[in-house]
């Protein structure tokens, strides 16, 4: 599942018949490009990228670094990205031939592992749904009292998965119903106001006639200041919520929906590598385009934003639908990126269940053999990933070890206070390596537009951009050395941060949240790289 929020502020509180709009983390009024700014000079906890360019990198030679973005697609024609999109030098565009003999015809800008001549996968199930469907068939006629060994273990796991799925379906249905009811009440209030886009002052002057109208007024008075206007609030939060939970019910959690026929591969053959098409943008490239911009949007064109790295080529490997990515596709995406020269791979996705982790592990090992650094988003469930599974991860399923050149990234906010840990970010003292800016990050979005997103999905490309920056100016460094430099050069956090444990908030040392106990820093990292 792509690691960022479809909704920032809509929270369903159990026991209420209406939605409560609350803020998981107060939307910060940040400076543009804040992730690249410096805490001391700019008063926001960025990674000091601009300071590094101004003081350490002037007139230094550098090389182009190929970075793979394994995601939902990248808009390769975006005004702030098209100059840094990878052009496969061995491939002739549009001739429908595999000119470079790598098995992928016309892979000019990358490859799409969830498409075919029939079209492209937009929606897919959660991995949980797929596993329940498989096990429904496996255990349909089984007498559970006669099961032993692995079959009994699998049956018990299947029961737990079914219960988890039932819970998620019920929650999605309840939340959809609640938001829909709020939407109806909102329609009534707007009709009485005589405007579909009233101001905050109009709302404050409105005199409700019943409890429903009073509730709508309270919600709007609380929420509207964080949006451009009523239309913006309604589009992003109300309509966004309805769309999100309907997608869950219709696709993600629907046992009767299966999109794999669109791809046309033999899904059970994990050794099958050559399928898909060359549409690296796909039907919804919002997330991947945002990620790509954070990494390497052109810095000197007076357009849009500035990426972390100033000399990259972005390879788009489309793998992640709206729903959970499939292990076979992830494995093939990693292999494709590594085999075609990527030196850093960004993976801003994750899920709670895995169908074939071994295939992904083997692909990771292949990437490491090619001296590739893999950067992965830790996830947005405010979970301790030492306890709650988030895959892919660096620990090999067969217990043979861990991937050395792998960085797991949590998300931080702009303030050096108790809110530094983004409220949504996963964490883990041994399972997450570093934190990086991931709140209200402005970046590229499709059709040459720009927008803010939150998520560890945004924090990971900050680290990917930093890794690419180091490899660009110090190309002789290995992937393991680059990871070591990034880890050793973090800004250590000595104060406590707020964390939510269930319904309880508590303060813990930041050092309990990740291996390094700090936020990445480009200035420190480049200073350290110069000593290697």
């Amino acid at each position: 599942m792509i690691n960022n929020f479809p909704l920032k502020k809509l929270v369903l509180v159990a026991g209420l018949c209406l939605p409560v709009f609350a803020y998981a983390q107060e939307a910060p009024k940040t400076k543009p490009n804040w992730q690249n700014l410096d805490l001391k000079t700019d008063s926001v906890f960025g990674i000091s990228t601009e300071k590094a360019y101004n003081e350490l990198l002037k007139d230094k030679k550098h090389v182009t670094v190929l970075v793979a973005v394994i995601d939902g697609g990248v808009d390769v024609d975006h005004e702030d990205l098209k100059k840094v999109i990878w052009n496969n030098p061995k491939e002739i565009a549009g001739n429908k031939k595999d000119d470079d003999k790598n098995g992928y015809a016309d892979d000019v800008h990358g490859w799409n592992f969830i498409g075919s001549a029939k079209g492209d996968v937009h929606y897919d199930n959660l991995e949980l749904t797929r596993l329940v469907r498989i096990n429904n068939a496996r255990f349909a006629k089984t007498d559970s009292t006669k099961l032993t060994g692995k079959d009994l273990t699998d049956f018990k796991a299947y029961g737990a998965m079914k219960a988890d799925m039932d819970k998620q379906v019920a929650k999605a249905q309840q939340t959809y119903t609640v938001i829909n009811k709020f939407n109806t009440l909102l329609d009534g209030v707007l009709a009485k106001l005589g405007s579909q886009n009233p101001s905050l002052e109009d709302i404050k002057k409105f005199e409700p006639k019943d409890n429903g109208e009073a509730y709508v007024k309270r919600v709007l008075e609380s929420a509207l200041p964080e949006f451009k206007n009523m239309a913006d609030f309604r589009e992003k939060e109300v309509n966004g919520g309805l769309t999100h939970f309907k997608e869950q019910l219709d696709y993600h959690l629907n046992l009767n929906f299966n999109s794999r026929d669109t791809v046309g591969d033999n899904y059970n053959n994990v050794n099958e590598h050559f399928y898909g098409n060359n549409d690296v943008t796909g039907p919804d490239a919002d997330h991947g385009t945002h990620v790509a911009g954070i990494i390497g949007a052109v810095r000197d064109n007076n357009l849009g934003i500035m990426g972390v790295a100033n000399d990259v080529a972005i390879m788009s490997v489309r793998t992640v639908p709206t729903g959970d990515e499939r292990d076979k596709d992830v494995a093939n995406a990693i292999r494709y990126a590594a085999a075609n020269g990527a030196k850093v791979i960004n993976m801003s996705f994750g899920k709670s269940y895995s169908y074939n982790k071994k295939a992904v592990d083997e692909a990771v090992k292949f990437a490491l053999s090619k001296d590739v650094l893999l950067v992965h988003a830790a996830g947005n469930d405010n979970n301790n990933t030492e306890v709650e599974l988030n895959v892919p991860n660096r620990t090999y399923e067969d217990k043979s070890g861990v991937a050395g050149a792998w960085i797991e990234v949590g998300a931080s906010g702009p303030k050096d206070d108790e809110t530094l840990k983004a409220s949504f970010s996963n964490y883990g003292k041994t399972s997450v390596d570093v934190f990086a800016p991931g709140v209200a990050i402005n970046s590229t979005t499709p059709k040459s537009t720009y927008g803010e997103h939150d998520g560890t999905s945004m924090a990971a490309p900050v680290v990917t951009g930093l890794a690419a920056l180091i490899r660009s100016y110090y190309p002789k460094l290995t992937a393991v050395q680059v990871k070591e430099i990034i880890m050793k050069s973090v800004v250590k956090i000595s104060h406590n941060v707020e964390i939510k444990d269930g319904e309880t908030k508590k303060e813990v040392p930041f050092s309990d949240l990740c291996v390094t106990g700090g936020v990445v820093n480009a200035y420190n990292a480049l200073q350290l790289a110069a000593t290697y």
Side-chain angles (χ1 to χ4, degrees):
M1 178 75 76
I2 282 172
N3 273 323
N4 78 313
F5 293 116
L7 303 171
K8 293 182 182 179
K9 303 174 178 68
L10 184 59
V11 179
L12 177 69
V13 178
L16 294 180
C17 63
L18 290 168
V20 171
F21 289 84
Y23 292 86
Q25 179 154 328
E26 182 182 355
K29 302 298 184 182
T30 58
K31 299 178 181 180
N33 193 44
W34 81 263
Q35 68 273 17
N36 289 316
L37 301 184
D38 180 75
L39 179 59
K40 184 176 180 180
T41 59
D42 303 302
S43 301
V44 286
F45 211 141
I47 69 166
S48 307
T49 317
E50 305 308 330
K51 181 180 178 182
Y53 279 115
N54 292 333
E55 298 182 18
L56 302 177
L57 300 180
K58 279 187 177 180
D59 303 320
K60 282 185 68 71
K61 292 182 179 179
H62 50 93
V63 300
T64 302
V65 176
L66 181 55
V67 178
V69 174
I70 299 178
D71 214 288
V74 175
D75 180 359
V76 297
D77 295 316
H78 194 288
E79 64 178 11
D80 215 4
L81 290 174
K82 57 187 177 184
K83 288 184 179 179
V84 297
I85 297 297
W86 179 57
N87 286 289
N88 186 345
K90 299 177 182 178
E91 198 74 19
I92 300 171
N95 68 355
K96 299 182 180 180
K97 295 181 181 179
D98 181 16
D99 301 295
D100 59 2
K101 309 300 182 192
N102 70 349
Y104 304 94
D106 279 346
D107 58 325
V108 178
H109 303 306
W111 196 250
N112 172 20
F113 283 100
I114 50 175
S116 70
K118 297 178 182 178
D120 298 296
V121 173
H122 188 181
Y123 300 101
D124 207 337
N125 305 129
L126 297 186
E127 191 69 80
L128 171 63
T129 307
R130 297 192 287 259
L131 288 171
V132 169
R133 182 165 55 230
I134 290 168
N135 284 298
N136 278 347
R138 176 182 173 187
F139 294 112
K141 298 179 181 179
T142 299
D143 182 353
S144 61
T145 63
K146 296 180 180 180
L147 295 175
T148 59
K150 184 177 185 301
D151 287 337
L152 180 59
T153 300
D154 289 351
F155 182 78
K156 289 179 179 178
Y158 163 55
M161 285 188 285
K162 280 186 68 178
D164 187 5
M165 185 175 170
D166 289 344
K167 181 179 178 181
Q168 291 194 40
V169 169
K171 182 178 180 181
Q173 184 62 67
Q174 179 191 20
T175 311
Y176 180 84
T177 301
V178 160
I179 299 172
N180 202 33
K181 186 173 183 179
F182 177 85
N183 195 33
T184 301
L185 290 169
L186 180 59
D187 280 338
V189 170
L190 296 180
K192 288 188 175 182
L193 286 168
S195 172
Q196 291 299 305
N197 198 21
S199 68
L200 181 59
E201 289 305 311
D202 293 332
I203 298 298
K204 289 180 177 179
K205 293 175 183 177
F206 175 69
E207 295 185 6
K209 302 300 183 185
D210 55 38
N211 289 338
E213 291 181 356
Y215 184 77
V216 170
K217 180 178 180 178
R218 289 198 304 273
V219 168
L220 296 179
E221 286 179 334
S222 172
L224 275 184
E226 298 298 333
F227 292 85
K228 296 175 184 177
N229 50 39
M230 173 67 75
D232 185 46
F233 163 77
R234 192 164 199 181
E235 177 61 27
K236 290 178 179 176
E237 297 302 307
V238 181
N239 295 341
L242 291 171
T243 298
H244 173 67
F245 290 104
K246 191 171 192 306
E247 285 177 357
Q248 283 198 339
L249 294 166
D250 289 350
Y251 306 113
H252 303 170
L253 296 165
N254 184 354
L255 287 168
N256 296 316
F257 176 75
N258 188 346
S259 65
R260 197 61 186 189
D261 286 348
T262 302
V263 178
D265 65 323
N266 177 3
Y267 183 61
N268 294 319
N269 180 8
V270 74
N271 296 314
E272 182 183 15
H273 306 304
F274 305 112
Y275 60 92
N277 65 30
N278 70 342
D279 177 8
V280 299
T281 299
D284 185 1
D286 182 81
H287 189 271
T289 303
H290 201 271
V291 165
I294 294 168
I295 296 167
V298 180
R299 294 182 60 83
D300 59 0
N301 61 356
N302 294 316
L303 292 172
I305 63 157
M306 292 187 288
V308 176
N310 66 340
D311 196 354
V312 294
I314 300 290
M315 171 196 289
S316 175
V317 193
R318 186 168 180 268
T319 309
V320 187
T322 301
D324 276 348
E325 62 282 354
R326 296 180 183 237
D327 293 335
K328 176 182 177 180
D329 301 331
V330 171
N332 281 326
I334 292 171
R335 287 182 179 277
Y336 175 89
N340 287 281
K343 303 312 292 181
V344 189
I345 296 176
N346 190 88
M347 300 185 292
S348 289
F349 55 82
K351 56 188 179 181
S352 301
Y353 294 87
S354 180
Y355 175 67
N356 193 341
K357 190 175 187 302
K358 182 181 178 182
V360 179
D361 291 345
E362 292 303 314
V364 168
K365 292 175 184 177
F366 174 76
L368 298 186
S369 76
K370 297 291 187 180
D371 191 37
V372 179
L373 178 63
L374 299 106
V375 182
H376 183 248
N380 300 329
D381 299 308
N382 188 36
N383 283 339
N384 182 348
T385 54
E386 291 181 316
V387 179
E388 303 289 342
L389 186 65
N390 182 52
V391 286
N393 56 38
R394 60 165 157 256
T395 303
Y396 300 135
E397 190 176 52
D398 62 5
K399 311 299 182 185
S400 62
V402 298
W406 179 294
I407 303 180
E408 192 79 6
V409 186
S412 56
K415 296 181 180 180
D416 186 23
D417 60 17
E418 70 278 1
T419 68
L420 182 61
K421 173 200 172 289
S423 59
F424 53 78
S425 180
N426 285 354
Y427 56 94
K429 191 167 187 176
T430 61
S431 54
V432 174
D433 293 307
V434 296
F435 274 68
V439 176
I441 305 297
N442 187 42
S443 187
T444 46
T445 48
K447 298 183 180 179
S448 294
T449 59
Y450 303 85
E452 286 187 358
H453 288 335
D454 300 333
T456 58
S457 278
M458 287 60 255
V462 170
V463 178
T464 295
L466 173 55
L469 184 61
I470 296 169
R471 300 203 87 163
S472 178
Y473 283 84
Y474 298 94
K476 292 183 180 180
L477 293 174
T478 66
V480 171
Q481 287 176 316
V482 173
K483 174 185 175 178
E484 183 179 87
I485 288 166
I486 291 172
M487 301 259 298
K488 285 184 174 180
S489 61
V490 298
V491 176
K492 298 275 189 178
I493 309 302
S494 58
H495 60 76
N496 288 355
V497 292
E498 192 174 81
I499 191 168
K500 192 172 183 182
D501 185 5
E503 294 303 312
T504 304
K505 289 182 179 180
K506 61 181 181 179
E507 290 198 354
V508 299
F510 197 90
S511 57
D512 286 353
L513 303 185
C514 64
V515 174
T516 60
V519 176
V520 300
N521 188 272
Y523 188 88
N524 293 349
L526 288 160
Q527 278 190 317
L528 183 56
T531 69
Y532 271 60

